[in-house]
PDB file of all heavy atoms in Angstrom:
ATOM      1  N   ASP M 100       1.125  31.203  -8.782  1.00 98.00           N
ATOM      2  CA  ASP M 100       0.995  32.496  -8.126  1.00 98.00           C
ATOM      3  C   ASP M 100       1.316  32.316  -6.649  1.00 98.00           C
ATOM      4  O   ASP M 100       1.359  31.185  -6.129  1.00 98.00           O
ATOM      5  CB  ASP M 100      -0.431  33.024  -8.305  1.00 98.00           C
ATOM      6  CG  ASP M 100      -0.483  34.537  -8.395  1.00 98.00           C
ATOM      7  OD1 ASP M 100       0.502  35.184  -7.988  1.00 98.00           O
ATOM      8  OD2 ASP M 100      -1.496  35.072  -8.872  1.00 98.00           O
ATOM      9  N   ARG M 101       1.528  33.399  -5.983  1.00 98.00           N
ATOM     10  CA  ARG M 101       1.767  33.380  -4.528  1.00 98.00           C
ATOM     11  C   ARG M 101       0.677  32.559  -3.837  1.00 98.00           C
ATOM     12  O   ARG M 101      -0.517  32.805  -4.009  1.00 98.00           O
ATOM     13  CB  ARG M 101       1.747  34.817  -4.022  1.00 98.00           C
ATOM     14  CG  ARG M 101       1.985  35.044  -2.545  1.00 98.00           C
ATOM     15  CD  ARG M 101       1.916  36.541  -2.345  1.00 98.00           C
ATOM     16  NE  ARG M 101       2.226  37.023  -1.021  1.00 98.00           N
ATOM     17  CZ  ARG M 101       1.322  37.477  -0.159  1.00 98.00           C
ATOM     18  NH1 ARG M 101       0.028  37.474  -0.460  1.00 98.00           N
ATOM     19  NH2 ARG M 101       1.704  37.971   1.008  1.00 98.00           N
ATOM     20  N   GLY M 102       1.073  31.550  -3.063  1.00 98.00           N
ATOM     21  CA  GLY M 102       0.129  30.710  -2.344  1.00 98.00           C
ATOM     22  C   GLY M 102      -0.278  29.445  -3.072  1.00 98.00           C
ATOM     23  O   GLY M 102      -0.943  28.584  -2.483  1.00 98.00           O
ATOM     24  N   GLU M 103       0.118  29.299  -4.330  1.00 98.00           N
ATOM     25  CA  GLU M 103      -0.253  28.111  -5.098  1.00 98.00           C
ATOM     26  C   GLU M 103       0.875  27.081  -5.065  1.00 98.00           C
ATOM     27  O   GLU M 103       2.045  27.427  -4.889  1.00 98.00           O
ATOM     28  CB  GLU M 103      -0.576  28.482  -6.541  1.00 98.00           C
ATOM     29  CG  GLU M 103      -1.800  29.372  -6.667  1.00 98.00           C
ATOM     30  CD  GLU M 103      -2.144  29.727  -8.101  1.00 98.00           C
ATOM     31  OE1 GLU M 103      -1.213  29.771  -8.948  1.00 98.00           O
ATOM     32  OE2 GLU M 103      -3.325  29.961  -8.380  1.00 98.00           O
ATOM     33  N   SER M 104       0.505  25.809  -5.262  1.00 98.00           N
ATOM     34  CA  SER M 104       1.470  24.722  -5.167  1.00 98.00           C
ATOM     35  C   SER M 104       1.357  23.778  -6.353  1.00 98.00           C
ATOM     36  O   SER M 104       0.288  23.653  -6.976  1.00 98.00           O
ATOM     37  CB  SER M 104       1.263  23.908  -3.883  1.00 98.00           C
ATOM     38  OG  SER M 104       1.496  24.680  -2.730  1.00 98.00           O
ATOM     39  N   TYR M 105       2.457  23.106  -6.619  1.00 98.00           N
ATOM     40  CA  TYR M 105       2.500  21.983  -7.539  1.00 98.00           C
ATOM     41  C   TYR M 105       3.039  20.797  -6.757  1.00 98.00           C
ATOM     42  O   TYR M 105       3.991  20.937  -5.979  1.00 98.00           O
ATOM     43  CB  TYR M 105       3.428  22.269  -8.719  1.00 98.00           C
ATOM     44  CG  TYR M 105       3.786  21.017  -9.498  1.00 98.00           C
ATOM     45  CD1 TYR M 105       2.951  20.544 -10.502  1.00 98.00           C
ATOM     46  CD2 TYR M 105       4.946  20.291  -9.198  1.00 98.00           C
ATOM     47  CE1 TYR M 105       3.261  19.377 -11.192  1.00 98.00           C
ATOM     48  CE2 TYR M 105       5.258  19.126  -9.891  1.00 98.00           C
ATOM     49  CZ  TYR M 105       4.412  18.686 -10.878  1.00 98.00           C
ATOM     50  OH  TYR M 105       4.712  17.520 -11.566  1.00 98.00           O
ATOM     51  N   ALA M 106       2.440  19.627  -6.945  1.00 98.00           N
ATOM     52  CA  ALA M 106       2.931  18.445  -6.239  1.00 98.00           C
ATOM     53  C   ALA M 106       2.749  17.212  -7.109  1.00 98.00           C
ATOM     54  O   ALA M 106       1.768  17.091  -7.857  1.00 98.00           O
ATOM     55  CB  ALA M 106       2.195  18.264  -4.909  1.00 98.00           C
ATOM     56  N   ASP M 107       3.716  16.313  -7.023  1.00 96.00           N
ATOM     57  CA  ASP M 107       3.586  14.995  -7.618  1.00 96.00           C
ATOM     58  C   ASP M 107       4.229  14.013  -6.642  1.00 96.00           C
ATOM     59  O   ASP M 107       4.366  14.319  -5.461  1.00 96.00           O
ATOM     60  CB  ASP M 107       4.215  14.940  -9.025  1.00 96.00           C
ATOM     61  CG  ASP M 107       5.704  15.304  -9.042  1.00 96.00           C
ATOM     62  OD1 ASP M 107       6.363  15.200  -7.987  1.00 96.00           O
ATOM     63  OD2 ASP M 107       6.199  15.695 -10.116  1.00 96.00           O
ATOM     64  N   GLY M 108       4.621  12.864  -7.098  1.00 91.00           N
ATOM     65  CA  GLY M 108       5.165  11.877  -6.174  1.00 91.00           C
ATOM     66  C   GLY M 108       6.574  12.147  -5.713  1.00 91.00           C
ATOM     67  O   GLY M 108       7.077  11.471  -4.806  1.00 91.00           O
ATOM     68  N   ARG M 109       7.224  13.155  -6.315  1.00 97.00           N
ATOM     69  CA  ARG M 109       8.619  13.428  -5.969  1.00 97.00           C
ATOM     70  C   ARG M 109       8.814  14.750  -5.230  1.00 97.00           C
ATOM     71  O   ARG M 109       9.650  14.844  -4.333  1.00 97.00           O
ATOM     72  CB  ARG M 109       9.482  13.430  -7.235  1.00 97.00           C
ATOM     73  CG  ARG M 109       9.656  12.069  -7.891  1.00 97.00           C
ATOM     74  CD  ARG M 109      10.545  12.138  -9.107  1.00 97.00           C
ATOM     75  NE  ARG M 109       9.872  12.774 -10.229  1.00 97.00           N
ATOM     76  CZ  ARG M 109       9.321  12.115 -11.250  1.00 97.00           C
ATOM     77  NH1 ARG M 109       9.360  10.793 -11.279  1.00 97.00           N
ATOM     78  NH2 ARG M 109       8.739  12.770 -12.237  1.00 97.00           N
ATOM     79  N   VAL M 110       8.092  15.780  -5.644  1.00 98.00           N
ATOM     80  CA  VAL M 110       8.311  17.114  -5.075  1.00 98.00           C
ATOM     81  C   VAL M 110       6.992  17.805  -4.779  1.00 98.00           C
ATOM     82  O   VAL M 110       5.962  17.496  -5.384  1.00 98.00           O
ATOM     83  CB  VAL M 110       9.137  18.019  -6.032  1.00 98.00           C
ATOM     84  CG1 VAL M 110      10.472  17.387  -6.386  1.00 98.00           C
ATOM     85  CG2 VAL M 110       8.350  18.370  -7.268  1.00 98.00           C
ATOM     86  N   GLN M 111       7.056  18.741  -3.845  1.00 98.00           N
ATOM     87  CA  GLN M 111       5.978  19.715  -3.670  1.00 98.00           C
ATOM     88  C   GLN M 111       6.628  21.091  -3.704  1.00 98.00           C
ATOM     89  O   GLN M 111       7.543  21.371  -2.923  1.00 98.00           O
ATOM     90  CB  GLN M 111       5.244  19.522  -2.352  1.00 98.00           C
ATOM     91  CG  GLN M 111       4.180  20.611  -2.120  1.00 98.00           C
ATOM     92  CD  GLN M 111       3.363  20.374  -0.866  1.00 98.00           C
ATOM     93  OE1 GLN M 111       2.750  19.328  -0.697  1.00 98.00           O
ATOM     94  NE2 GLN M 111       3.385  21.349   0.032  1.00 98.00           N
ATOM     95  N   VAL M 112       6.182  21.923  -4.637  1.00 98.00           N
ATOM     96  CA  VAL M 112       6.720  23.267  -4.793  1.00 98.00           C
ATOM     97  C   VAL M 112       5.609  24.263  -4.501  1.00 98.00           C
ATOM     98  O   VAL M 112       4.553  24.220  -5.138  1.00 98.00           O
ATOM     99  CB  VAL M 112       7.274  23.491  -6.215  1.00 98.00           C
ATOM    100  CG1 VAL M 112       7.783  24.918  -6.359  1.00 98.00           C
ATOM    101  CG2 VAL M 112       8.373  22.491  -6.527  1.00 98.00           C
ATOM    102  N   THR M 113       5.843  25.150  -3.542  1.00 98.00           N
ATOM    103  CA  THR M 113       4.865  26.179  -3.188  1.00 98.00           C
ATOM    104  C   THR M 113       5.478  27.545  -3.448  1.00 98.00           C
ATOM    105  O   THR M 113       6.625  27.805  -3.057  1.00 98.00           O
ATOM    106  CB  THR M 113       4.454  26.068  -1.712  1.00 98.00           C
ATOM    107  OG1 THR M 113       3.899  24.767  -1.481  1.00 98.00           O
ATOM    108  CG2 THR M 113       3.416  27.127  -1.358  1.00 98.00           C
ATOM    109  N   ALA M 114       4.720  28.392  -4.116  1.00 98.00           N
ATOM    110  CA  ALA M 114       5.182  29.749  -4.408  1.00 98.00           C
ATOM    111  C   ALA M 114       4.824  30.682  -3.256  1.00 98.00           C
ATOM    112  O   ALA M 114       3.686  30.692  -2.782  1.00 98.00           O
ATOM    113  CB  ALA M 114       4.557  30.253  -5.701  1.00 98.00           C
ATOM    114  N   PHE M 115       5.794  31.460  -2.832  1.00 98.00           N
ATOM    115  CA  PHE M 115       5.572  32.525  -1.867  1.00 98.00           C
ATOM    116  C   PHE M 115       5.903  33.859  -2.533  1.00 98.00           C
ATOM    117  O   PHE M 115       6.203  33.923  -3.719  1.00 98.00           O
ATOM    118  CB  PHE M 115       6.403  32.278  -0.604  1.00 98.00           C
ATOM    119  CG  PHE M 115       5.855  31.165   0.234  1.00 98.00           C
ATOM    120  CD1 PHE M 115       6.288  29.854   0.055  1.00 98.00           C
ATOM    121  CD2 PHE M 115       4.858  31.405   1.167  1.00 98.00           C
ATOM    122  CE1 PHE M 115       5.752  28.819   0.807  1.00 98.00           C
ATOM    123  CE2 PHE M 115       4.306  30.377   1.925  1.00 98.00           C
ATOM    124  CZ  PHE M 115       4.763  29.068   1.743  1.00 98.00           C
ATOM    125  N   GLY M 116       5.822  34.916  -1.794  1.00 97.00           N
ATOM    126  CA  GLY M 116       5.924  36.233  -2.397  1.00 97.00           C
ATOM    127  C   GLY M 116       7.353  36.678  -2.658  1.00 97.00           C
ATOM    128  O   GLY M 116       8.327  36.004  -2.327  1.00 97.00           O
ATOM    129  N   SER M 117       7.448  37.850  -3.271  1.00 97.00           N
ATOM    130  CA  SER M 117       8.721  38.495  -3.527  1.00 97.00           C
ATOM    131  C   SER M 117       8.555  39.983  -3.264  1.00 97.00           C
ATOM    132  O   SER M 117       7.432  40.496  -3.262  1.00 97.00           O
ATOM    133  CB  SER M 117       9.159  38.260  -4.974  1.00 97.00           C
ATOM    134  OG  SER M 117      10.366  38.946  -5.254  1.00 97.00           O
ATOM    135  N   THR M 118       9.665  40.656  -3.049  1.00 96.00           N
ATOM    136  CA  THR M 118       9.623  42.115  -2.936  1.00 96.00           C
ATOM    137  C   THR M 118      10.166  42.752  -4.213  1.00 96.00           C
ATOM    138  O   THR M 118      10.505  43.932  -4.239  1.00 96.00           O
ATOM    139  CB  THR M 118      10.433  42.585  -1.712  1.00 96.00           C
ATOM    140  OG1 THR M 118      11.646  41.833  -1.632  1.00 96.00           O
ATOM    141  CG2 THR M 118       9.631  42.385  -0.437  1.00 96.00           C
ATOM    142  N   ASP M 119      10.235  41.937  -5.255  1.00 94.00           N
ATOM    143  CA  ASP M 119      10.571  42.395  -6.593  1.00 94.00           C
ATOM    144  C   ASP M 119       9.634  41.642  -7.535  1.00 94.00           C
ATOM    145  O   ASP M 119       8.502  41.366  -7.173  1.00 94.00           O
ATOM    146  CB  ASP M 119      12.048  42.131  -6.901  1.00 94.00           C
ATOM    147  CG  ASP M 119      12.597  43.015  -8.014  1.00 94.00           C
ATOM    148  OD1 ASP M 119      11.801  43.433  -8.873  1.00 94.00           O
ATOM    149  OD2 ASP M 119      13.803  43.280  -8.042  1.00 94.00           O
ATOM    150  N   LEU M 120      10.079  41.268  -8.696  1.00 94.00           N
ATOM    151  CA  LEU M 120       9.238  40.493  -9.600  1.00 94.00           C
ATOM    152  C   LEU M 120       9.113  39.055  -9.118  1.00 94.00           C
ATOM    153  O   LEU M 120       9.929  38.551  -8.364  1.00 94.00           O
ATOM    154  CB  LEU M 120       9.833  40.493 -11.014  1.00 94.00           C
ATOM    155  CG  LEU M 120       9.868  41.817 -11.779  1.00 94.00           C
ATOM    156  CD1 LEU M 120      10.426  41.594 -13.178  1.00 94.00           C
ATOM    157  CD2 LEU M 120       8.487  42.447 -11.851  1.00 94.00           C
ATOM    158  N   GLY M 121       8.053  38.387  -9.607  1.00 97.00           N
ATOM    159  CA  GLY M 121       7.934  36.957  -9.462  1.00 97.00           C
ATOM    160  C   GLY M 121       7.631  36.465  -8.065  1.00 97.00           C
ATOM    161  O   GLY M 121       6.906  37.097  -7.300  1.00 97.00           O
ATOM    162  N   VAL M 122       8.230  35.317  -7.741  1.00 98.00           N
ATOM    163  CA  VAL M 122       7.913  34.614  -6.507  1.00 98.00           C
ATOM    164  C   VAL M 122       9.200  34.060  -5.894  1.00 98.00           C
ATOM    165  O   VAL M 122      10.272  34.110  -6.485  1.00 98.00           O
ATOM    166  CB  VAL M 122       6.941  33.436  -6.771  1.00 98.00           C
ATOM    167  CG1 VAL M 122       5.590  33.944  -7.276  1.00 98.00           C
ATOM    168  CG2 VAL M 122       7.537  32.419  -7.754  1.00 98.00           C
ATOM    169  N   SER M 123       9.056  33.534  -4.704  1.00 98.00           N
ATOM    170  CA  SER M 123      10.063  32.682  -4.079  1.00 98.00           C
ATOM    171  C   SER M 123       9.455  31.285  -3.987  1.00 98.00           C
ATOM    172  O   SER M 123       8.251  31.115  -4.166  1.00 98.00           O
ATOM    173  CB  SER M 123      10.433  33.213  -2.689  1.00 98.00           C
ATOM    174  OG  SER M 123       9.268  33.443  -1.912  1.00 98.00           O
ATOM    175  N   TYR M 124      10.288  30.276  -3.721  1.00 98.00           N
ATOM    176  CA  TYR M 124       9.793  28.899  -3.726  1.00 98.00           C
ATOM    177  C   TYR M 124      10.212  28.128  -2.483  1.00 98.00           C
ATOM    178  O   TYR M 124      11.386  28.152  -2.090  1.00 98.00           O
ATOM    179  CB  TYR M 124      10.340  28.132  -4.923  1.00 98.00           C
ATOM    180  CG  TYR M 124       9.787  28.561  -6.275  1.00 98.00           C
ATOM    181  CD1 TYR M 124      10.639  29.109  -7.227  1.00 98.00           C
ATOM    182  CD2 TYR M 124       8.452  28.386  -6.601  1.00 98.00           C
ATOM    183  CE1 TYR M 124      10.164  29.482  -8.476  1.00 98.00           C
ATOM    184  CE2 TYR M 124       7.966  28.761  -7.843  1.00 98.00           C
ATOM    185  CZ  TYR M 124       8.818  29.308  -8.777  1.00 98.00           C
ATOM    186  OH  TYR M 124       8.334  29.680 -10.018  1.00 98.00           O
ATOM    187  N   GLU M 125       9.236  27.417  -1.898  1.00 98.00           N
ATOM    188  CA  GLU M 125       9.554  26.353  -0.956  1.00 98.00           C
ATOM    189  C   GLU M 125       9.482  25.040  -1.717  1.00 98.00           C
ATOM    190  O   GLU M 125       8.502  24.763  -2.406  1.00 98.00           O
ATOM    191  CB  GLU M 125       8.568  26.322   0.215  1.00 98.00           C
ATOM    192  CG  GLU M 125       8.891  25.207   1.214  1.00 98.00           C
ATOM    193  CD  GLU M 125       7.742  24.879   2.146  1.00 98.00           C
ATOM    194  OE1 GLU M 125       6.575  24.902   1.705  1.00 98.00           O
ATOM    195  OE2 GLU M 125       8.016  24.569   3.325  1.00 98.00           O
ATOM    196  N   ILE M 126      10.530  24.240  -1.599  1.00 98.00           N
ATOM    197  CA  ILE M 126      10.609  22.946  -2.276  1.00 98.00           C
ATOM    198  C   ILE M 126      10.701  21.875  -1.197  1.00 98.00           C
ATOM    199  O   ILE M 126      11.656  21.841  -0.414  1.00 98.00           O
ATOM    200  CB  ILE M 126      11.855  22.867  -3.177  1.00 98.00           C
ATOM    201  CG1 ILE M 126      11.892  24.050  -4.159  1.00 98.00           C
ATOM    202  CG2 ILE M 126      11.902  21.543  -3.924  1.00 98.00           C
ATOM    203  CD1 ILE M 126      13.278  24.315  -4.731  1.00 98.00           C
ATOM    204  N   VAL M 127       9.709  21.008  -1.142  1.00 98.00           N
ATOM    205  CA  VAL M 127       9.719  19.910  -0.179  1.00 98.00           C
ATOM    206  C   VAL M 127       9.943  18.620  -0.949  1.00 98.00           C
ATOM    207  O   VAL M 127       9.170  18.262  -1.841  1.00 98.00           O
ATOM    208  CB  VAL M 127       8.401  19.840   0.614  1.00 98.00           C
ATOM    209  CG1 VAL M 127       8.418  18.654   1.577  1.00 98.00           C
ATOM    210  CG2 VAL M 127       8.166  21.138   1.384  1.00 98.00           C
ATOM    211  N   THR M 128      11.035  17.951  -0.633  1.00 98.00           N
ATOM    212  CA  THR M 128      11.376  16.710  -1.329  1.00 98.00           C
ATOM    213  C   THR M 128      12.309  15.886  -0.461  1.00 98.00           C
ATOM    214  O   THR M 128      13.088  16.442   0.324  1.00 98.00           O
ATOM    215  CB  THR M 128      12.025  17.010  -2.695  1.00 98.00           C
ATOM    216  OG1 THR M 128      12.230  15.792  -3.420  1.00 98.00           O
ATOM    217  CG2 THR M 128      13.355  17.739  -2.548  1.00 98.00           C
TER     218      THR M 128
END
């Protein structure tokens, strides 16, 4: 959901908002 993240040893993915369906993503790797 917006504001939630997934992280492991390779990537960190954080969901941000959208002005339509779903989310946008920041990917740190």
Side-chain angles (χ1 to χ4, degrees):
D100 213 342
R101 181 180 185 254
E103 295 181 332
S104 296
Y105 165 85
D107 59 22
R109 291 182 287 259
V110 303
Q111 176 175 304
V112 178
T113 301
F115 287 91
S117 177
T118 42
D119 202 333
L120 293 183
V122 296
S123 51
Y124 290 116
E125 180 197 37
I126 306 160
V127 178
T128 186

